[in-house]
Amino acid sequence: MSVVSRGFRGRARDARHQLPPGQYETTGFPVLSAGPTPTVPLEEWEFTVRTETGVKHTWTWEQLLALPSESPTVDLHCVTKWSKFETEWQGVSLDVLLQDVESRADYALVHSYGDYTTNIPVEDLLDGKAWIAHRYDGEALPPEHGGPARLLVPHLYFWKSAKWVRGIVLMHEEERGFWETVGYHTYGDPWREQRYRGD
Amino acid sequence: MARATVPRRLGERLRWRTARLTRREDESSLARTLVLDVPGWPGHEAGQHVDVRLTAEDGYSTQRSYSVASAPDGETVELTVQRTDDGEVSPYLTDELTVGDLVELRGPVGGWFVWRPEQKEPVFLLAGGSGLVPLMAMIRMRRAVGSRTPFRLIYSARSPETRLFTSELRRGDPGLDTTYVYTRSAPPQWPRPAGRIDASVVSGGGWPPDFEPTCYVCGSTAFVETAAGLLVALGHHPGRVRTERFG
């Protein structure tokens, strides 16, 4: 049972959207990151999937854009408490990128330009649940939001949607990523409020 | 007195604790410091934050994150909260919450944007507005443990009236150098006209990159983008630039 804070009423609640526990709605687009925004020239950009047997699959920027893309409209839930509803993206489904990748791995460690990492079970990347997104709200994805391309995994807290994504390493054993090693939850389901380790 | 060591308890579940307001102080025209008594508080590191949960009588509940302003000090936790006029939580915390009232608090959280006394390299702090709060915790931690690690602070504020911790920073600490930047209105006779930080301020008020300082940048997204970009452009290694932003 929660402690009531005397005199706190909160704001009128918007009934159109359902918020996960502990979240509030924002209409802005807050930015969070651990360090400076990396700049990656498009001609040097590449995205690599490395399997547990060491096989590498690499896409250049042009090759990524040549793949069939989707335009998901999704809700975002950040562990710092904001949620943003009905955001519009364009990107390539991980189902497309992983369809010819031979792997029996259960776990993925996602790597970013700027050395950020985050871990995700492979099954959370498949079946229409994740994209390499390169456009937001009809425009090229701005650098502070992870441009040129970021992972988009909207059913998990937004730190899993790695900005400035550069590749995925597939493996049999789970390895924790950057925020996961400094106290955040390994999985990060907003609906089960898995914010911090042990939640 | 503050303790130098903080128990590492990352493997343990973070619990909601009931916190009682024991004192509140005006910090600037917009901000207030809330001194909370949190029974069972395990201690924290300089730069960490806490989650605050408010629950209304009808059961509605919401949470926000706030940086801890104080150095570790037993079961006392200080938060310095800046009011945002259209906010749901900050006006309640700055204007409504009075001594004896209860909030719930969970933490400490975060193991990246922290300064630990065993770090020996120079420290470069860049604060925009209320982004000073976690950096102030680092300054206070340094003082509490008697550290002689050299600190430099660049503090960008809208105007002198909106500055936080004014008298404490004026009193100063040996080995801490502070440079002020005003973005909207500077005091009369101020050497630099009002405006955003730029390369000359960052290089003049900070450490050269070859001193390999750890840089902590906190403020709005616009401030952090500018300041972190200037640091990298001046030659600071991106891996030594740690950032934290508020919406």
Side-chain angles (χ1 to χ4, degrees), chain B residues 133-195:
Chain B
V133 174
L135 307 182
M136 198 66 201
M138 298 178 191
I139 291 168
R140 288 168 164 170
M141 180 69 142
R142 174 184 182 274
R143 184 189 311 142
V145 300
S147 166
R148 294 167 64 197
T149 296
F151 272 40
R152 287 184 176 173
L153 165 68
I154 294 178
Y155 180 20
S156 169
R158 263 182 270 172
S159 62
E161 302 75 57
T162 64
R163 282 185 307 170
L164 301 174
F165 314 115
T166 309
S167 57
E168 189 175 336
L169 284 175
R170 188 184 299 122
R171 213 161 48 236
D173 291 83
L176 164 68
D177 299 315
T178 302
T179 302
Y180 293 96
V181 179
Y182 297 104
T183 56
R184 298 260 177 84
S185 57
Q189 315 297 316
W190 196 252
R192 190 174 176 279

Side-chain angles (χ1 to χ4, degrees), chain B residues 40-52:
Chain B
W41 183 246
H44 58 271
E45 295 186 297
Q48 287 189 300
H49 65 270
V50 295
D51 288 354
V52 173

Side-chain angles (χ1 to χ4, degrees), chain A residues 25-38:
Chain A
E25 181 178 356
T26 182
T27 52
F29 195 166
V31 172
L32 283 110
S33 53
T37 296

Side-chain angles (χ1 to χ4, degrees), chain B:
Chain B
M1 195 58 224
R3 286 169 295 135
T5 54
V6 168
R8 307 289 294 154
R9 42 190 299 288
L10 291 177
E12 217 180 283
R13 185 182 157 80
L14 290 174
R15 293 174 33 213
W16 288 104
R17 298 171 196 277
T18 304
R20 183 180 298 274
L21 187 74
T22 57
R23 193 157 50 87
R24 57 177 205 167
E25 283 172 20
D26 287 341
E27 208 61 68
S28 75
S29 56
L30 295 171
R32 199 153 278 176
T33 289
L34 309 174
V35 181
L36 298 160
D37 178 45
V38 194
W41 183 246
H44 58 271
E45 295 186 297
Q48 287 189 300
H49 65 270
V50 295
D51 288 354
V52 173
R53 180 162 73 184
L54 298 178
T55 301
E57 279 183 21
D58 67 359
Y60 169 74
S61 180
T62 193
Q63 303 177 19
R64 295 293 187 282
S65 296
Y66 290 99
S67 294
V68 178
S70 50
D73 181 12
E75 296 184 335
T76 298
V77 174
E78 290 184 26
L79 306 181
T80 298
V81 177
Q82 187 154 305
R83 185 185 212 291
T84 44
D85 285 333
D86 59 346
E88 181 184 22
V89 169
S90 66
Y92 173 80
L93 292 178
T94 57
D95 303 345
E96 296 277 325
L97 194 72
T98 55
V99 167
D101 285 346
L102 305 177
V103 299
E104 285 178 293
L105 191 144
R106 189 161 91 124
V109 182
W112 170 246
F113 197 81
V114 295
W115 178 75
R116 300 187 170 105
E118 58 266 31
Q119 290 176 230
K120 294 300 174 220
E121 77 286 0
V123 169
F124 188 9
L125 308 173
L126 296 97
S130 57
L132 180 61
V133 174
L135 307 182
M136 198 66 201
M138 298 178 191
I139 291 168
R140 288 168 164 170
M141 180 69 142
R142 174 184 182 274
R143 184 189 311 142
V145 300
S147 166
R148 294 167 64 197
T149 296
F151 272 40
R152 287 184 176 173
L153 165 68
I154 294 178
Y155 180 20
S156 169
R158 263 182 270 172
S159 62
E161 302 75 57
T162 64
R163 282 185 307 170
L164 301 174
F165 314 115
T166 309
S167 57
E168 189 175 336
L169 284 175
R170 188 184 299 122
R171 213 161 48 236
D173 291 83
L176 164 68
D177 299 315
T178 302
T179 302
Y180 293 96
V181 179
Y182 297 104
T183 56
R184 298 260 177 84
S185 57
Q189 315 297 316
W190 196 252
R192 190 174 176 279
R196 281 192 181 188
I197 58 161
D198 56 26
S200 68
V201 173
V202 174
S203 55
W207 304 103
D210 58 310
F211 281 31
E212 304 194 341
T214 298
C215 308
Y216 298 88
V217 187
C218 186
S220 66
T221 288
F223 176 83
V224 171
E225 282 297 307
T226 304
L230 288 167
L231 286 168
V232 173
L234 287 168
H236 292 272
H237 189 276
R240 279 193 299 272
V241 179
R242 303 184 186 203
T243 62
E244 187 158 280
R245 311 153 190 255
F246 47 80

Side-chain angles (χ1 to χ4, degrees), chain A residues 34-45:
Chain A
T37 296
T39 45
V40 192
L42 291 182
E43 58 273 20
E44 289 171 28
W45 186 93

